[in-house]
Amino acid sequence: MELSRPNIETLREMLAAPARKIVTLSHTNPDGDAVGSSLAWAEALRRMGHSVTCIVPNKYPYYLNWMAGIRDMVIFKHDDEGRAARAVAEADIIFCLDFHSLSRLDALSDVIAANTTAKRVLIDHHLNPAEPFDLMFSYPESSSTCYLLYRIIEELWGTASITPTQAEVLYVGMMTDTGNFSFSFLTPDLFRAVAALVETGIEVPRIYNNVYNSFTEGRARLFGYVINRKMRILRRGTVAHMSLTEEEMRRFWFQQGDSEGFVNYPLTIKKMKMSAIFIEHHDFIRVSLRSRGDVDVNLFAGRYFNGGGHRNAAGGKSFDPMPETIARFERAVDEFAAEGLL
Ligand code: 5GP
Ligand code: MN
């Protein structure tokens, strides 16, 4: 993965002007990579004397609460004082981190659309960025936005500039988006980056425990329930789907973040190629998809659920009730298979 020299120099010039007002934005249902990249980038920019507001559309999952600086992020959904709208209106530069289309911001996208003067910079690793940006760092071959950001920081200021707090939040994004270093794009350069983060003194087992071993009892029981009672297997064991209704989630004291990782589990079954989970929200159903190898769930999500993501991890939405959503998925799977895509 080679970063574009001219882009790095353009970014350097943009940041050279003193005391800019900067906003970082990341996607709805912010995950470790979204939060980690926002916090690490904010620290770097503040050190240069810029003033930075980190905004996310809704709350991050509770297992990220421990991350340094996370409480200063503005959560648009609960932002009764209008801090997000003010920061966006005044911004000189808006950094879009870890998403490829303003539609991933839900209601926050209207606020962004209202500011037509700020420079917009994309730093992201999803396929097919949708909107025009003034400057784009779009690298789908990067395993996480945090790794991409690490490489940008390396080019701009060298890795010696990375503090232990930055290293910790960058590591969170690299770890979570690669499924603890088990998915795709695990390059030697990624592990060299991890080595540089570890050099700063971060404690890898503590970070792992904070993220992966900090769930509630309700989450563990909900997981058992969904795998045992709700997993359906199709096409001779190669496709699985699961669903959760609001009523079922209430029964297990559901908190946002509790279903994280469920969709990966069917892929632990030998021969499984694709897994889906449908999670009911107030006015739509969130669809999460995972696959192994050549099965392209980015394509699947775009075609059937108006979404996207990466080849092996994607998502979208359905505005139909649960039974229709599941029936639509099963028909789509058959169509996909008939085209030799599964
Ligand atoms: P997750 O299943 O973890 O929510 O999302 C997996 C991947 O799919 C992420 O990279 C995410 O950005 C992408 N994704 C999830 N939901 C949507 C969606 O509604 N639209 C698009 N375009 N991408 C999505
Ligand atoms: Mn990411």
Side-chain angles (χ1 to χ4, degrees):
M1 181 176 121
E2 282 299 318
L3 298 189
S4 144
R5 282 251 125 242
N7 280 3
I8 289 287
E9 291 318 313
T10 307
L11 180 59
R12 197 192 296 281
E13 281 161 31
M14 253 188 204
L15 297 176
R20 310 246 79 187
K21 290 195 169 66
I22 296 178
V23 161
T24 74
L25 296 175
S26 202
H27 58 79
T28 301
N29 297 333
D31 55 11
D33 195 30
V35 172
S37 56
S38 301
L39 295 176
W41 192 226
E43 187 182 324
L45 298 172
R46 285 187 186 121
R47 212 182 311 142
M48 296 185 76
H50 302 304
S51 71
V52 185
T53 308
C54 296
I55 307 174
V56 283
N58 65 340
K59 187 97 170 60
Y60 40 80
Y62 62 90
Y63 57 79
L64 300 179
N65 282 347
W66 60 277
M67 289 172 76
I70 199 167
R71 279 173 211 283
D72 299 330
M73 296 185 94
V74 179
I75 297 158
F76 180 64
K77 203 169 171 184
H78 307 298
D79 173 34
D80 302 329
E81 299 152 32
R83 283 172 67 200
R86 242 187 344 271
V88 169
E90 293 173 358
D92 302 307
I93 312 174
I94 298 176
F95 283 99
C96 297
L97 300 169
D98 198 36
F99 67 96
H100 60 157
S101 139
L102 293 185
S103 67
R104 294 280 286 135
L105 299 177
D106 292 331
L108 178 56
S109 62
D110 299 336
V111 176
I112 307 310
N115 179 329
T116 52
T117 54
K119 293 275 184 226
R120 292 179 190 190
V121 184
L122 179 79
I123 301 180
D124 178 51
H125 69 135
H126 293 90
L127 293 160
N128 317 322
E131 268 81 18
F133 288 87
D134 296 293
L135 181 60
M136 268 182 27
F137 293 88
S138 169
Y139 289 87
E141 70 272 40
S142 178
S143 53
S144 60
T145 297
C146 278
Y147 172 61
L148 172 57
L149 193 62
Y150 169 93
R151 294 285 304 270
I152 292 173
I153 291 174
E154 179 181 37
E155 290 293 327
L156 288 173
W157 306 298
T159 53
S161 75
I162 296 176
T163 66
T165 14
Q166 273 179 312
E168 192 166 81
V169 295
L170 287 172
Y171 185 82
V172 169
M174 294 182 192
M175 173 182 81
T176 52
D177 262 34
T178 58
N180 199 31
F181 306 100
S182 68
F183 301 156
S184 1
F185 305 116
L186 302 176
T187 59
D189 279 338
L190 170 67
F191 289 101
R192 277 187 271 272
V194 169
L197 300 183
V198 173
E199 296 272 13
T200 70
I202 60 169
E203 290 176 57
V204 167
R206 194 176 61 84
I207 299 173
Y208 181 93
N209 275 311
N210 282 347
V211 173
Y212 290 116
N213 297 332
S214 301
F215 290 113
T216 59
E217 177 187 340
R219 193 257 186 187
R221 295 193 185 282
L222 176 64
F223 182 50
Y225 169 80
V226 77
I227 291 295
N228 187 23
R229 306 280 298 276
K230 303 298 301 285
M231 183 170 67
R232 301 281 173 271
I233 296 204
L234 317 170
R235 303 198 66 85
R236 299 165 182 245
T238 57
V239 177
H241 68 74
M242 300 173 280
S243 63
L244 281 173
T245 63
E246 286 189 298
E247 187 279 318
E248 288 168 319
M249 291 187 278
R250 264 197 302 277
R251 235 193 285 160
F252 291 91
W253 305 98
F254 186 88
Q255 298 179 51
Q256 198 200 317
D258 274 354
S259 58
E260 195 59 44
F262 287 7
V263 66
N264 295 313
Y265 205 76
L267 290 176
T268 63
I269 303 169
K270 200 166 179 161
K271 289 200 286 193
M272 192 64 73
K273 291 183 182 168
M274 177 173 167
S275 166
I277 191 165
F278 311 107
I279 298 182
E280 191 176 62
H281 287 249
H282 190 60
D283 39 13
F284 64 93
I285 291 171
R286 178 164 290 287
V287 181
S288 272
L289 300 158
R290 299 291 185 271
S291 65
R292 245 203 302 251
D294 292 339
V295 177
D296 186 348
V297 287
N298 174 59
L299 177 66
F300 189 94
R303 253 204 213 174
Y304 302 108
F305 293 101
N306 198 22
H310 315 279
R311 191 184 55 181
N312 295 133
K317 284 178 181 174
S318 164
F319 296 93
D320 293 331
M322 191 63 89
E324 282 80 353
T325 299
I326 292 174
R328 182 145 60 92
F329 172 80
E330 294 189 349
R331 278 196 309 274
V333 163
D334 287 340
E335 190 178 296
F336 217 55
E339 289 178 46
L341 297 170
L342 193 66

